[in-house]
Amino acid sequence: MATSFPVCIRVFMLFLMLCKRYECNGPQLFVSKTSHPVWQRVSKQSSIFGSFVGIQRLRGGKASGFGQQLQQLQYVMKKDPDGYLPELEAQIAIFGDKLKELELNPSAAHDEFGELIGFLSHMCPNYPTRLNFIPDNLMGLLRNNHTTLNPGLRTKICESVALLCGRKMIQVEDLCCQFFQLFRLPDKKLRAYLYSTCLSSIKRLNSKSVDQRANRRIQRELALLLHGDDTRSGALAISLFMELFRRRMWDDDHVVNIIGAACFAKQDKVRGSAIHFLLGIDDEEAGPEDDF
């Protein structure tokens, strides 16, 4: 036993030297996990070392088995976009099939379709030409089916649209005008998300320079909600006007006139908020969250 102990130590030290030389994190692979092409192919079916970018979720929860496969595929495709074109084409074909299923039954959950939307939205910057149809398709789904879509899938589409807008693949004015139409939906958590997304998007639009054309278009669409019949969308619209005025982003005479005209709106909440704002009366107990 005493003679075999040093041999064990030497074997262990040799093993550590091999691990260090071949950049191995364990005894399964003696290849570089970042540069060797074989690892990239194997990793699609085996466990991925390190962290990968997950698909964002407003409602939380773990990804399904299909979603986990897409997360792993997303990780390796970002490493080598050109090498995974066949896999991308396969996912595009699945997207087309599931879009047809959605058109037949838009109120169903379609969980896998939601996961696929998130995956393709994350991959759009890596394949801008091949996936240039994704922004228009998602905006079309919200425009034509926002009242009939399953709430979970509708939330996933809104998250993906916001992601594409942040990557400048959807214009801020297009995103805001579409999200304004969703203010009337009964989903309180979604309305809060839409409100905060529009607020941050308009802030980003005016961060470096003022795009007057885009601002005027957004203001026109938002002003229509002030004089409509829907209480929820009207309350969110006046709240958004006032918040952007306080932040000195929309503080010109045009916006003041819009808020002044809201003093004669049909809805009591819109009229009261506009009058209090112009009189300089701050309602300490009320806040934007009360309008959701």
Side-chain angles (χ1 to χ4, degrees):
M1 185 71 181
T3 57
S4 61
F5 181 77
V7 176
C8 295
I9 294 296
R10 286 196 296 269
V11 171
F12 182 72
M13 292 178 64
L14 179 61
F15 173 76
L16 292 179
M17 291 173 61
L18 289 173
C19 289
K20 183 177 181 181
R21 180 174 179 178
Y22 292 100
E23 302 178 12
C24 175
N25 283 347
Q28 296 178 352
L29 291 175
F30 288 91
V31 295
S32 172
K33 63 180 180 180
T34 58
S35 60
H36 201 285
V38 175
W39 180 88
Q40 294 180 348
R41 293 295 179 181
V42 173
S43 62
K44 292 193 298 179
Q45 298 179 352
S46 62
S47 60
I48 298 294
F49 291 100
S51 61
F52 51 81
V53 179
I55 299 176
Q56 294 179 349
R57 284 177 177 74
L58 176 63
R59 297 178 178 271
K62 296 182 179 179
S64 63
F66 180 69
Q68 291 177 358
Q69 293 176 6
L70 290 179
Q71 288 176 346
Q72 295 178 359
L73 185 59
Q74 175 185 325
Y75 177 82
V76 295
M77 287 178 71
K78 286 187 175 182
K79 295 282 187 180
D80 182 19
D82 294 336
Y84 284 87
L85 285 174
E87 286 80 359
L88 177 67
E89 294 296 336
Q91 299 305 320
I92 292 175
I94 295 175
F95 177 85
D97 294 338
K98 293 193 175 296
L99 182 60
K100 294 178 181 178
E101 295 178 6
L102 174 67
E103 293 172 351
L104 295 175
N105 187 11
S107 60
H110 299 286
D111 294 332
E112 290 188 356
F113 185 59
E115 300 284 0
L116 188 57
I117 287 174
F119 165 76
L120 293 177
S121 299
H122 277 88
M123 298 310 303
C124 277
N126 300 91
Y127 303 93
T129 303
R130 189 63 189 89
L131 296 178
N132 58 0
F133 65 93
I134 293 295
D136 291 338
N137 278 23
L138 298 185
M139 292 290 284
L141 286 174
L142 290 180
R143 182 168 50 253
N144 301 324
N145 302 289
H146 63 273
T147 57
T148 56
L149 286 172
N150 177 270
L153 179 60
R154 184 171 54 215
T155 297
K156 172 58 68 176
I157 296 174
C158 290
E159 292 175 342
S160 299
V161 167
L163 174 68
L164 293 173
C165 181
R167 294 177 176 178
K168 299 182 180 180
M169 304 189 73
I170 293 178
Q171 298 296 323
V172 172
E173 57 267 33
D174 293 333
L175 174 134
C176 290
C177 292
Q178 182 57 61
F179 279 9
F180 292 160
Q181 303 305 314
L182 275 60
F183 279 175
R184 64 185 73 248
L185 294 174
D187 191 338
K188 183 176 181 180
K189 193 171 183 179
L190 177 62
R191 290 198 306 271
Y193 174 75
L194 298 174
Y195 179 90
S196 62
T197 301
C198 290
L199 187 62
S200 60
S201 298
I202 295 172
K203 179 180 178 181
R204 186 174 63 252
L205 177 67
N206 297 278
S207 59
K208 296 181 179 179
S209 60
V210 177
D211 189 341
Q212 202 64 258
R213 182 194 61 81
N215 281 314
R216 286 290 184 262
R217 181 189 171 193
I218 296 172
Q219 291 165 5
R220 283 196 302 270
E221 293 292 330
L222 193 59
L224 294 176
L225 302 180
L226 298 176
H227 303 280
D229 297 326
D230 186 72
T231 304
R232 286 188 290 256
S233 58
L236 288 175
I238 190 63
S239 177
L240 197 55
F241 269 118
M242 295 187 299
E243 183 63 26
L244 289 168
F245 186 91
R246 293 189 187 100
R247 298 190 182 197
R248 316 294 281 179
M249 296 177 194
W250 287 358
D251 57 353
D252 56 1
D253 295 340
H254 180 72
V255 174
V256 174
N257 290 333
I258 291 177
I259 298 177
C263 296
F264 304 95
K266 301 177 183 179
Q267 306 165 33
D268 295 337
K269 191 173 183 64
V270 175
R271 285 200 311 269
S273 298
I275 293 172
H276 283 192
F277 180 78
L278 293 177
L279 292 176
I281 302 174
D282 292 330
D283 192 350
E284 297 180 355
E285 297 181 358
E289 64 275 3
D290 298 323
D291 300 328
F292 299 145

